[in-house]
Amino acid sequence: VADPPWENASVRRSSRYSTLPARQLLRLPVSQLLDQDQGVVLLWITNRERLHRFVHAELLPAWGLRHEATWYWLKLAEGGAVP
């Protein structure tokens, strides 16, 4: 499971944690660390379209991976309401 510290305006404004430029992730040797026959990577990304394009067109191929499924995380407000 990978939850990279993606750059975004909210974090930049709050300075809660340091972020990492997306292109730096290309340097991670994921294909060397993962069992190519049985490995699975779950990658959390934000909803920015530019980031989705980067992940699908550059990051996954660089890591020797292919996209298999998309899961959505729906945040609910207190009491279960959709904000």
Side-chain angles (χ1 to χ4, degrees):
V1 175
D3 183 4
W6 303 110
E7 293 180 306
N8 67 66
S10 174
V11 173
R12 193 171 25 257
R13 283 191 304 269
S14 70
S15 299
R16 287 183 296 212
Y17 58 85
S18 298
T19 60
L20 183 69
R23 299 195 90 44
Q24 294 291 331
L25 295 171
L26 294 168
R27 296 180 178 185
L28 293 175
V30 172
S31 62
Q32 296 170 10
L33 299 171
L34 188 66
D35 181 329
Q36 295 299 309
D37 295 326
Q38 300 179 26
V40 175
V41 173
L42 303 173
L43 179 66
W44 183 89
I45 63 174
T46 66
N47 61 359
R48 290 177 48 211
E49 185 59 36
R50 187 174 78 189
L51 186 55
H52 282 254
R53 285 192 306 269
F54 166 75
V55 167
H56 290 278
E58 296 184 54
L59 187 61
L60 293 180
W63 286 355
L65 302 174
R66 67 180 184 275
H67 178 260
E68 288 291 328
T70 300
W71 296 338
Y72 294 93
W73 175 23
L74 178 61
K75 286 186 178 182
L76 301 177
E78 191 172 324
V82 177

